[in-house]
Each structure stands twice: as C-alpha cells, then as structure tokens.
Amino acid sequence: MANATERHDQIYPVLTAAQIETARRFASGPEQTFAPNELIYDFGVRDVPAWLILDGSVTAFRRSGIGAEATIASYAPGQITGETNQLSGHATLAAVRAGDAGAVALPFDAAHLRALIIGSADVGETMMRAFILRRVALIEAGQSGGAGSVLVGERNAADVVRLSGFLTRNGYPHMVLATCEAEGRELVQRLGVHDDDLPLMICPNGTVLKHPTDHEAATCLGILPELPAGKVYDVAVVGAGPAGLATAVYAASEGLSVLVCDTRAFGGQAGASSRIENYLGFPTGISGLALAGRAFNQATKFGAELAIPLAVDRLHCGDGGDQGGFTLDFSDGQSVRARTVVVASGAQYRRPDIANFDEVEGSGVSYWASPIEAKLCEGEEIALVGGGNSAGQAVVFLAPYVRTLHLVARRPLAQTMSRYLIDRIEALPNVEYHIGCEIDAIEGSRATGVTGAVFADRASGATKRHDFRHVFLFIGADPNTRWLDGCVALDNRGFVLTGEAAGAGVRSPLETSRPGIFAAGDVRGGSTKRVAAAVGEGAAVVAQIHAYLAALDQDSTAVTEQRVPAST
C-alpha cells in the first residue's frame, strides 16, 4: 500500500520536461497568461478545460452547498488541474484561481484532454490515476460537509435515501443534514421553508432545490450532457450496467460515436452490490460501485457520451435500412438518432404481490444493500428476502451492522446460491433462517414505514409475525423492455430474443429480430445472469455492430452506384 507521500505524488503529479513537450502537442489552444488572483474557472461551469501550468501557480478550492470553502491544492509548473469531470465536460466541482504572482498555462478541453490521455500512454496513465483519486478525495470531503451538495431532511425519509443513493451511485460528493439536528433546523429556519418542501438539495453553486427529482438534481449539478441536435450516433446504448458500459468502452475505443443513457446511475444492479467476489481478476473482491466506476471512467476516457439520469420513453424502429435508422425519445423531451441500438436495459426489481406493499415501498423497503441502507438499520432487526447470489452478498454485508437478520428464502440455499456465500453466512452468529418461507403480509404505512411482517411456511401454511423496520428484497427481476414498443421479438417472459431464437435470417448471435438492434446482458433471453457474462456480451456485440455497419455502408454504396449513370 502506498504511503501518504506516494499517494500525494499520485494525486498531484509533476510532469517531466519531456512529458510537458508531449502534452503541448495536444493542447486545445495557445498558452494564456492570468493576472494575480484572477479567477480561471468557477464552481458549476460546464466544459471547463484542464490547465497545464507552465509558470507561476494556481489554487483549487472546494465548496459545500452551505457555502463553506476550503483550499484543495496549489498547482505548480508541470501540474495539470482538474478531475474526472474535465474528461466529460460535466460541470466543475471546484474553482481555480491564479496565485499571487499570476500564472501561465495551456488549456486542454475535454476532447484534447482525452486525446492526450489516449495518445500518450505515459502521461495518460499518470493523469487518469490523478483525476480518479482527486474525485475520491472530493467524495470523502463531501461526507463531512466540505464539498459537494447538502441534503436536508430526515435521514431515513424515502426521498433523502433516494437522493443520497443517486449521488453516491453517480460518484458525486454530498452530505446529509438531519432536520432533527441543530444545524439542520437552523438552516431550514434561515431558508424559510416548510415541511412540504423537504428534502432540500443545496447545490455547490448555491441553488436550492425543494423536493427534487433525480433529473432535477442532475441538471443542477451539470451531469446531463447537452445532446447535439441533428447528430446521428453510430451506437446508442440503453442501460449503463456492465453490458452497456462494456459496449461503450469497446465501441468508443474503436472509433465509433457512442451515446449511453440510463434512468438512474451507472452500474445497473451490479453497481448496487456491496461486494463481488467471483469476478475474474479480483481475488479479494470488489464492490459493484468501484467496478462500475472504473468502467464509467474508461468509457469517458475513450469519448463515449453518458447521459444519466435519462430514461428512454420509446424506440422508433424505422426500417433499419438508412444511415440513421432508429430514433430514441427521452423522458425530458429530447430525441436522438442512431445507426444501431444496443438494448442493455437489464431488469427492474420485482415487487412482491403482498397486500399493503404500496403503502410501505420506499419507507423501509430496499432493493439493494449499500452503506446508506446499512447505516439506516444499524443495530436493528431486519428481514432479507431472497436466495440468490445477490441476496447472499447482501446478507454478508448487512449482518455485521444489525442485531438480527431474518433470511427468508423459498428454496434451500444450495439450489440457488454459490457455496462460498452459504459457508460465509453459516459462520454469521446473528442470521436466523426461514427456509421454505415467504412474506405473507407486511405491516406499516407511508408515515410510519415498515413495522413488521408475517412469514408463512409454504409447505404447512403456518405463519409467524416478526417486528422489524427494514426489509430487503432480492426476489429476482423482470426485464426492462416496455420502452421497446414492439420493435423486437420477446419471449413469453418479456426478455429480448436474439440470434436463431429471434427468427430465421438473423445473422449475429446478439442481434434481435430487427436488423441493427442488438441485445446484451440480463435483458437478453437465455443470458447467464453474471457480471462477467454481461461484460463479455457487451464486448462481443461491438464486433457484430462493426459487421452490420460495414454491410450497411456497402449496401448504401451499391445503391448510389446504381443511381449514378455511367459516363459515356
């Protein structure tokens, strides 16, 4: 493990003279001179370049939503400002000001910065590591209120949990101020807001949002890209889970223009996993968020555009025969065209058919287990329903936080869960098993949240009531395919059919019944529901996209040649 000095050198590396000369070739403009203490860029500004300092110095500052500012670092000659948002053009999380003696610096906008990172392996590795570590440092500072947004409300309120989860899953620093604490109460009184306005989100630029949606929060933070009108993408990927991110990385790295959209966060269901221990190459395991974050940064590095949170309302199939054969309509009114579409929208969490469930959903019911949920149920009694690997990983993660964990599964765990997870669960002292059971009734309301539930033995019909305030559901998922609007063939469960199963004449294993539309990952019928399998399909589909586009271009050229009269 690197010591503090080594880590500081990785976060704020100094380029050598040779590396500076290499970087010069990729600059997006001539060097600029800044006056002493001149503001170079402010908080919350989109498309801000990174700056390579040639002379003098600059200082970066962070700011929390409640206005507290602190110095992040001073940059000397040979150092480059910025963090991962500079690669994507998203709004800045820091401000940079010239030092007391001014500064001379070279600009690198997002496109030129990506070109530098890809074009120079030496400088690229150094700067990617630095940008990622700088974002991590901002996230850590956000936990104590030193950077990023501030959420104000009850900690266990459904919308506070939702917003905190959204920001965490997308790698944005933030903190929660509870209204039952003095600082939270004082802030609410100072702003003059009512209980109906809660929760509040205070963005780093000072904007106050009342009861915001994820989309409103993303807009305030400058996360959503501005989709260019009239542009036709080579590939539109719907879903930023492992399959979608793999498609983005491989397609963008091979020169295709790629747009990836997702309704909530990158990583999909895998991104919510507390720890993945059977993914190749990670013998000690890796959290789903860390794995997805690396893939997200890779896709951004190669120039893929990621639009999150942006939901697709409808896919217009077109005929798949022209150069922009498909149109996607988004929930915010925007539309884009693409030559090919990859359906990687995964699955949506299955809701149990239990009376009163609508009343408590979001108030003590969770479909994933992250540190946010673990903190909310710390020291309490909880129930977890499910017997698959995702459920097993959640049990292992949550059990050390809680007093008692009731594990409810319809079948013996050996039939549905990996052996290493079963062994680990059996070693936990506070797990009570309810095998062959299911939840028969759930108690509570939107105001009180979950207060308890009744477990029913499926064989005997015997029931038993238990008190708890949190229930975690890992009971499977249904395919997220409604937005396809009949464009492609589905199986009787709603999963997308591909290859031979999609019908005669389908040329590629991952192509659907509609030429030019492909499917990868959990949404595809017959897929192996594993992260590695999804990544493999996301990579494999790119070769099939290339073959489709090559044939499309060849057909287009042949038609053009037939229409042009031969010269005489």
Side-chain angles (χ1 to χ4, degrees):
M1 181 178 293
N3 61 36
T5 301
E6 290 172 338
R7 182 58 51 136
H8 183 273
D9 291 344
Q10 290 176 344
I11 300 175
Y12 304 108
V14 180
L15 301 187
T16 65
Q19 289 174 324
I20 291 174
E21 288 307 307
T22 296
R24 281 182 180 274
R25 302 200 302 268
F26 294 90
S28 55
E31 61 185 56
Q32 296 186 34
T33 300
F34 297 96
N37 301 311
E38 179 181 349
L39 183 66
I40 298 175
Y41 58 82
D42 206 349
F43 301 96
V45 183
R46 297 182 64 93
D47 298 314
V48 166
W51 292 89
L52 170 58
I53 311 305
L54 301 175
D55 191 25
S57 66
V58 303
T59 300
F61 301 88
R62 53 180 166 84
R63 177 196 292 164
S64 72
I66 54 177
E69 288 192 7
T71 298
I72 298 175
S74 292
Y75 293 88
Q79 294 183 307
I80 297 180
T81 68
E83 47 92 38
T84 54
N85 273 6
Q86 260 69 21
L87 287 168
S88 61
H90 290 172
T92 53
L93 293 174
V96 169
R97 190 180 299 276
D100 292 339
V104 178
L106 273 173
F108 295 81
D109 63 20
H112 289 80
L113 183 60
R114 292 194 299 266
L116 168 62
I117 287 174
I118 295 170
S120 171
D122 181 22
V123 177
E125 179 182 350
T126 298
M127 293 317 304
M128 275 302 298
R129 182 189 299 112
F131 286 164
I132 291 169
L133 290 175
R134 291 174 193 174
R135 172 57 73 88
V136 170
L138 283 170
I139 293 171
E140 290 174 349
Q143 294 170 355
S144 59
S149 303
V150 174
L151 304 179
V152 185
E154 294 183 23
R155 290 188 186 277
N156 60 351
D159 285 316
V160 172
V161 175
R162 170 183 58 81
L163 286 166
S164 185
F166 168 74
L167 295 172
T168 298
R169 291 280 303 276
N170 286 290
Y172 272 75
H174 70 283
M175 72 168 296
V176 177
L177 274 182
T179 48
C180 62
E181 298 169 358
E183 191 174 2
R185 284 198 305 272
E186 189 275 332
L187 185 59
V188 168
Q189 292 170 0
R190 177 155 51 89
L191 294 173
V193 297
H194 303 287
D195 289 345
D196 292 343
D197 297 324
L198 298 175
L200 303 178
M201 176 174 167
I202 308 173
C203 304
N205 63 5
T207 301
V208 179
L209 303 178
K210 299 176 180 179
H211 210 282
T213 63
D214 291 351
H215 192 278
E216 290 168 339
T219 301
C220 189
L221 293 172
I223 297 175
L224 285 169
E226 298 172 354
L227 301 178
K231 180 174 180 177
V232 179
Y233 291 89
D234 292 321
V235 189
V237 184
V238 181
L245 290 173
T247 300
V249 168
Y250 285 95
S253 68
E254 294 175 16
L256 298 177
S257 58
V258 182
L259 174 70
V260 185
C261 63
D262 196 284
T263 189
R264 180 162 173 77
F266 58 79
Q269 291 188 50
S273 177
S274 55
R275 182 156 294 272
I276 301 170
E277 296 195 60
N278 58 355
Y279 189 73
L280 186 67
F282 292 90
T284 60
I286 184 171
S287 74
L289 182 59
L291 184 65
R294 295 181 185 196
F296 176 89
N297 287 324
Q298 272 183 302
T300 302
K301 163 186 168 180
F302 288 118
E305 295 181 46
L306 290 105
I308 301 173
L310 195 60
V312 178
D313 277 351
R314 184 184 178 193
L315 171 63
H316 298 269
C317 303
D319 59 12
D322 58 39
Q323 295 299 304
F326 307 104
T327 300
L328 294 94
D329 291 342
F330 296 113
S331 56
D332 66 349
Q334 296 188 85
S335 296
V336 297
R337 299 182 71 199
R339 302 176 72 194
T340 64
V341 174
V342 175
V343 182
S345 47
Q348 50 201 0
Y349 299 105
R350 189 171 296 154
R351 302 170 73 254
D353 185 15
I354 305 173
N356 197 45
F357 185 76
D358 289 343
E359 279 296 306
V360 297
E361 188 173 23
S363 299
V365 175
S366 299
Y367 296 94
W368 56 80
S370 76
I372 297 172
E373 285 76 29
K375 188 172 182 63
L376 288 174
C377 61
E378 191 168 6
E380 297 187 11
E381 195 163 340
I382 68 170
L384 189 146
V385 185
N389 276 1
S390 294
Q393 290 162 354
V395 171
V396 171
F397 173 68
L398 289 170
Y401 290 91
V402 303
R403 185 172 72 254
T404 304
L405 188 151
H406 296 275
L407 176 56
V408 184
R410 301 175 70 178
R411 290 185 285 169
L413 298 182
Q415 295 181 13
T416 55
M417 189 180 294
S418 294
R419 186 70 241 176
Y420 81 94
L421 286 170
I422 296 174
D423 293 341
R424 194 165 294 174
I425 292 171
E426 288 175 347
L428 295 169
N430 60 335
V431 175
E432 291 189 12
Y433 295 87
H434 304 269
I435 306 301
C437 296
E438 58 189 5
I439 290 185
D440 185 59
I442 195 163
E443 301 170 359
S445 66
R446 192 167 300 277
T448 64
V450 173
T451 57
V454 176
F455 300 162
D457 187 291
R458 300 180 71 214
S460 67
T463 61
K464 186 176 182 180
R465 185 188 177 281
H466 293 270
D467 288 320
F468 50 77
R469 298 190 60 82
H470 301 271
V471 58
F472 293 81
L473 298 176
F474 292 84
I475 56 175
D478 297 315
N480 185 13
T481 53
R482 290 183 183 177
W483 60 275
L484 289 170
D485 201 30
C487 279
V488 301
L490 309 176
D491 67 15
N492 58 5
R493 297 170 59 201
F495 290 91
V496 180
L497 294 173
T498 58
E500 293 181 358
V506 178
R507 293 173 291 184
S508 303
L510 298 175
E511 192 170 32
T512 69
S513 58
R514 178 76 61 168
I517 301 179
F518 302 81
D522 288 1
V523 75
R524 190 180 68 82
S527 65
T528 302
K529 305 301 187 278
R530 290 287 187 272
V531 174
V535 170
E537 290 185 7
V541 77
V542 175
Q544 297 170 39
I545 288 171
H546 277 300
Y548 171 81
L549 292 176
L552 191 67
D553 292 338
Q554 186 176 12
D555 291 345
S556 177
T557 301
V559 170
T560 302
E561 289 175 348
Q562 290 174 8
R563 290 176 178 169
V564 176
S567 59
T568 57

